[in-house]
Amino acid sequence: MSVDPVLLTGGTGFVGGALLQRLAAEGRPLRSLVRTDAAADAVSALGATPVRGDVLDERSLREAISGCASVFHVAGVNAMCRRDPSAMVRTNVEGPANVIRAAAVAGAGRVVVTSSAAAIGEARGTVGREDSPHRGSYLSSYERSKHLGERNALALGRKLGLDVVCVNPASVQGPGRVEGTARLLLELVRGRLPALVDTTISIVDVADCTEGHLLAERRGVAGERYVLSGATVTTREAVALVRSLWGRPDRVRWIPLSLARAGGAGAEMVGRLLRRDLPVCREAVRTLLHGHRYDGSRAER
């Protein structure tokens, strides 16, 4: 294992924080890109050396990467129902490209890019794999941004002669996760979720996701991507599991698909009138109703 420093972006996030702790536990010299004093204090407490910079500032990236053997680019924005998604799109699309250009100039050996299983873009009802044909349309601005960011990253790696490997995690779950799908499960246990739709979701434990990143650095084939997925469950199966563990919820209302679509459109209209980003909108419902089944066997092998 190389003793050269490693740079990590996104070290204060859920996935990046878990990876930071694992790298630090292995005793690897570790730098973490930060933008604020609070972030610097947080990563320092976990064992990394904070380095000021921004994924949208190539100069700061070159300085941060200088002397590093590997880069883990985990930083990104995962959000739905943004009235203005431009900041998210810029971070998710331009960020990976900036990191790769900076890594090529700084002489890093490999960049592991955290993409998303959503970037696969599999057709509805099919199992998403690394070689799945993209459906040709996007369910959300987030999905579009991750797909374009991954595509740009791999193309730049080939052009610049830099080893770039992408990992595509399914929905990452584990201790400390309180947003996204985890929020739905928590609300379900608390009895605060009035209704659900019948759909399918693939998940991966945060520890397995971390292991997948490390294996991508050590064994991944340059120019390839690896889906990280541990299990696929339906919402009905999830409810049954939660009920068997905690005895709740007592009862769940299941929403017809047509009503869910109408609700998403209505909520989006309300958000625009109030000039607020609400947790429900058409793209969130569209993504939920599409459902996802991912095959993580290639990464396991």
Side-chain angles (χ1 to χ4, degrees):
M1 184 184 300
S2 173
V3 295
D4 293 328
V6 175
L7 177 73
L8 170 70
T9 72
T12 57
F14 179 63
V15 174
L19 180 57
L20 187 156
Q21 292 180 68
R22 173 68 180 275
L23 290 166
E26 291 186 351
R28 300 183 68 174
L30 178 61
R31 302 174 189 170
S32 182
L33 196 74
V34 297
R35 293 184 295 174
T36 66
D37 291 340
D41 292 341
V43 300
S44 293
L46 294 176
T49 300
V51 181
R52 290 281 179 167
D54 193 301
V55 297
L56 298 178
D57 178 6
E58 273 194 58
R59 181 176 179 180
S60 68
L61 287 170
R62 288 194 297 270
E63 293 174 355
I65 296 171
S66 179
C68 289
S70 301
V71 178
F72 289 95
H73 176 52
V74 187
V77 180
N78 184 349
M80 290 277 187
C81 303
R82 292 279 176 92
R83 286 173 299 126
D84 180 8
S86 58
M88 174 182 69
V89 172
R90 188 181 178 206
T91 298
N92 291 350
V93 176
E94 296 181 20
N98 290 339
V99 169
I100 288 165
R101 280 192 291 264
V105 172
R110 168 158 288 195
V111 178
V112 177
V113 174
T114 305
S115 181
S116 168
I120 300 296
E122 79 287 351
R124 190 171 189 270
T126 65
V127 177
R129 300 181 175 87
E130 289 81 0
D131 59 353
S132 293
H134 196 281
R135 76 181 81 88
S137 61
Y138 300 109
L139 301 173
S140 65
S141 295
Y142 170 74
E143 182 189 293
R144 174 177 176 271
S145 71
K146 296 303 286 188
H147 177 247
L148 295 179
E150 177 189 285
R151 189 177 68 181
N152 290 348
L154 294 173
L156 259 180
R158 290 190 295 269
K159 178 180 177 181
L160 299 176
L162 179 67
D163 281 3
V164 176
V165 180
C166 289
V167 290
N168 301 70
S171 180
V172 186
Q173 303 295 331
R177 179 78 192 273
V178 295
E179 296 298 332
T181 310
R183 183 178 180 182
L184 293 178
L185 292 173
L186 291 171
E187 294 297 290
L188 185 65
V189 172
R190 293 166 181 157
R192 299 175 185 170
L193 201 62
L196 284 172
V197 295
D198 192 6
T199 189
T200 305
I201 186 171
S202 288
I203 61 176
V204 60
D205 186 271
V206 66
D208 289 336
C209 184
T210 298
E211 187 70 20
H213 279 74
L214 296 176
L215 290 171
E217 180 203 15
R218 298 167 186 166
R219 303 179 186 174
V221 177
E224 298 292 337
R225 60 182 179 177
Y226 296 85
V227 173
L228 308 181
S229 182
T232 298
V233 296
T234 66
T235 44
R236 291 185 183 274
E237 290 170 338
V239 167
L241 177 59
V242 168
R243 188 177 286 144
S244 70
L245 292 171
W246 290 285
R248 290 179 289 179
D250 296 328
R251 185 167 62 93
V252 173
R253 291 189 179 93
W254 297 95
I255 308 175
L257 303 187
S258 58
L259 184 58
R261 293 189 185 98
E268 186 171 313
M269 184 177 297
V270 170
R272 289 177 178 174
L273 291 173
L274 297 177
R275 297 182 179 180
R276 290 172 51 193
D277 292 333
L278 299 180
V280 178
C281 64
R282 284 183 297 176
E283 67 174 16
V285 172
R286 196 161 50 233
T287 300
L288 191 63
L289 296 185
H290 179 278
H292 292 291
R293 290 181 180 271
Y294 296 117
D295 179 1
S297 60
R298 185 187 188 203
E300 291 175 16
R301 289 194 299 272

